[in-house]
Amino acid sequence: FTDATQENMQDMFDVFVEHGESVLCVGSTYRASNGRLFAVADVSVGVQDLAPAHGGAPRDSVMVLNDMLVGACCAFRIPAAASSGEESISFVTTLSLVGRRLLNNMTQVLSFTVVVGCQLSLVSLLGIATPVALEPGLPPGDAAFIFALLQCSVALALIVTPASSQLSRTMPFKQSSTLPQDSLDDTRQRARFYLSHALPTAILAVVLHLWIFVLVFRGSDSGLCDSRSTGWGVLTCRALVDHFGHEDVVAARDTASLFTSSFLVASLVFQSASFLYRTQPITRDSPMGNLPWVIAVATALCVQTAMFVARAQWNLVDRVSWAPWTLILVWPPLLLALSEQVKVKDGKGVARSMTFLRLDFDTRLGMHSPR
């Protein structure tokens, strides 16, 4: 590296950029020829005046102007090291790790946002496809409330997730997405997630909605359907459509929607624990290390509980047997366990990708090094 010329370093920059990688350039603003390299790199850090001042004299206006011109393309300019050692070039290492952590966290935030939206949409689509008299699922207002609640609390808290214990040993997520094999692995990961998480949760949400509706409606004395009818007979009763605005029908639908909303909020909140890290299991990097996430999860659950208590008609809730309550309490932890099992396979795939990336990086660096 010490024998590298401006032309050789420029060639190495071009090779890395052509392969879709991010180039970080760190250099002295004292050397005017570094200005061209600073302009080419994706992120540049200019270190002011690494060379000692002549005779210990203070920096004059010419040197200050030179630093400003050479470092014009730099994202950061580190002042000259003080005698007390308060400023250090190790700031660059800290900056790199913080940037990588924020990149990974923002990726997980966007992934969780997509999951919440797709989960709510899937419940609505399955409700439309269900061959019953009244369409099951969430009212638009409840779906919008759940999305806003989770985005304003849980999703935003994912941004401040502490660094993973493997952060310094892996390449940035941006680089792995440039490889065709990794793109295929990401597609497989999403397919596994939706088949093992989103689809079963949406099916159970629709089943729970119909289940609660039948339990509550059969306990009323509306006379719209035969009291001896089975659950499926109640769901396919045409009288429900003809008397859609009947108070017993509306009360049963509202109660079913409350239970379904609570089920989805609990399931998505538990899933968010698995989104703190892309492949690291929660047994290695505990989600309890992210205090804002813990507060956000507690807030989301408390808000949903308060909404349930405020809207519920307790004489109707008493008609619900213990089985639906058991489903609401058992499925979210089970869903988290499934998420961790899926992440085990994903972790192995990421480890293979990291090994290949490192080998590819070393090979190209050796091919285009000055010597």
Side-chain angles (χ1 to χ4, degrees):
F1 180 79
T2 57
D3 296 332
T5 63
Q6 295 288 324
E7 291 74 17
N8 288 334
M9 285 188 284
Q10 178 72 53
D11 291 340
M12 286 192 287
F13 282 18
D14 293 339
V15 170
F16 293 148
V17 172
E18 287 173 2
H19 285 75
E21 295 182 355
S22 299
V23 179
L24 168 66
C25 177
V26 182
S28 172
T29 56
Y30 185 75
R31 188 177 185 181
S33 57
N34 285 341
R36 184 176 61 179
L37 297 177
F38 288 154
V40 174
D42 295 302
V43 178
S44 298
V45 179
V47 183
Q48 295 180 1
D49 191 15
L50 283 180
H54 300 288
R59 294 163 53 86
D60 54 22
S61 58
V62 176
M63 295 181 64
V64 174
L65 179 61
N66 177 78
D67 290 337
M68 295 175 61
L69 294 177
V70 176
C73 297
C74 294
F76 298 94
R77 289 196 295 271
I78 302 176
S83 57
S84 60
E86 295 178 357
E87 301 289 346
S88 173
I89 195 65
S90 63
F91 167 76
V92 178
T93 304
T94 303
L95 177 65
S96 177
L97 292 177
V98 170
R100 186 179 297 185
R101 177 175 69 88
L102 291 179
L103 175 63
N104 293 339
N105 291 352
M106 183 56 67
T107 301
Q108 296 304 99
V109 169
L110 296 178
S111 299
F112 182 71
T113 301
V114 172
V115 166
V116 173
C118 290
Q119 184 75 84
L120 297 176
S121 301
L122 191 58
V123 171
S124 300
L125 293 176
L126 289 178
I128 295 174
T130 304
V132 294
L134 294 180
E135 177 184 315
L138 293 176
D142 288 352
F145 172 78
I146 293 175
F147 186 83
L149 174 64
L150 295 178
Q151 289 305 112
C152 295
S153 57
V154 179
L156 293 180
L158 296 178
I159 299 179
V160 296
T161 302
S164 168
S165 59
Q166 302 294 322
L167 180 66
S168 60
R169 304 173 195 162
T170 58
M171 306 291 278
F173 181 79
K174 170 181 178 293
Q175 292 179 331
S176 63
S177 62
T178 62
L179 298 178
Q181 181 61 37
D182 292 326
S183 300
L184 180 60
D185 289 342
D186 287 342
T187 302
R188 292 171 179 170
Q189 179 192 19
R190 295 187 183 96
R192 286 194 299 268
F193 176 83
Y194 283 109
L195 290 177
S196 61
H197 297 70
L199 185 59
T201 302
I203 294 176
L204 288 177
V206 173
V207 171
L208 179 66
H209 188 280
L210 297 175
W211 194 358
I212 298 298
F213 178 84
V214 171
L215 291 176
V216 174
F217 184 76
R218 292 181 67 177
S220 63
D221 298 328
S222 60
L224 297 179
C225 300
D226 188 355
S227 59
R228 295 174 295 178
S229 299
T230 62
W232 183 253
V234 172
L235 294 175
T236 56
C237 180
R238 296 301 305 174
L240 296 180
V241 179
D242 299 335
H243 300 82
F244 182 79
H246 193 278
E247 59 179 359
D248 290 332
V249 176
V250 173
R253 284 176 58 88
D254 289 343
T255 303
S257 297
L258 280 177
F259 276 86
T260 305
S261 299
S262 301
F263 174 76
L264 289 174
V265 169
S267 299
L268 291 170
V269 163
F270 271 79
Q271 285 186 55
S272 68
S274 191
F275 277 85
L276 292 175
Y277 301 102
R278 182 167 180 254
T279 57
Q280 294 288 22
I282 59 176
T283 55
R284 178 176 300 177
D285 292 306
S286 174
M288 297 304 171
N290 186 348
L291 182 59
W293 175 84
V294 175
I295 296 175
V297 166
T299 301
L301 294 177
C302 289
V303 170
Q304 180 60 34
T305 302
M307 182 67 65
F308 185 94
V309 173
R311 293 176 52 186
Q313 301 180 38
W314 293 100
N315 61 321
L316 302 181
V317 174
D318 291 339
R319 301 175 185 175
V320 179
S321 62
W322 59 268
W325 289 103
T326 303
L327 176 63
I328 295 175
L329 297 176
V330 171
W331 177 250
L334 180 60
L335 194 61
L336 178 58
L338 289 174
S339 300
E340 292 303 303
Q341 290 300 316
V342 172
K343 284 171 65 175
V344 170
K345 186 174 181 59
D346 294 336
K348 295 179 180 179
V350 170
R352 290 194 301 268
S353 300
M354 293 300 106
T355 303
F356 178 81
L357 281 171
R358 188 66 200 181
L359 179 62
D360 185 57
F361 178 87
D362 292 340
T363 301
R364 285 184 281 113
L365 182 61
M367 291 173 59
H368 297 277
S369 62
R371 302 182 67 175

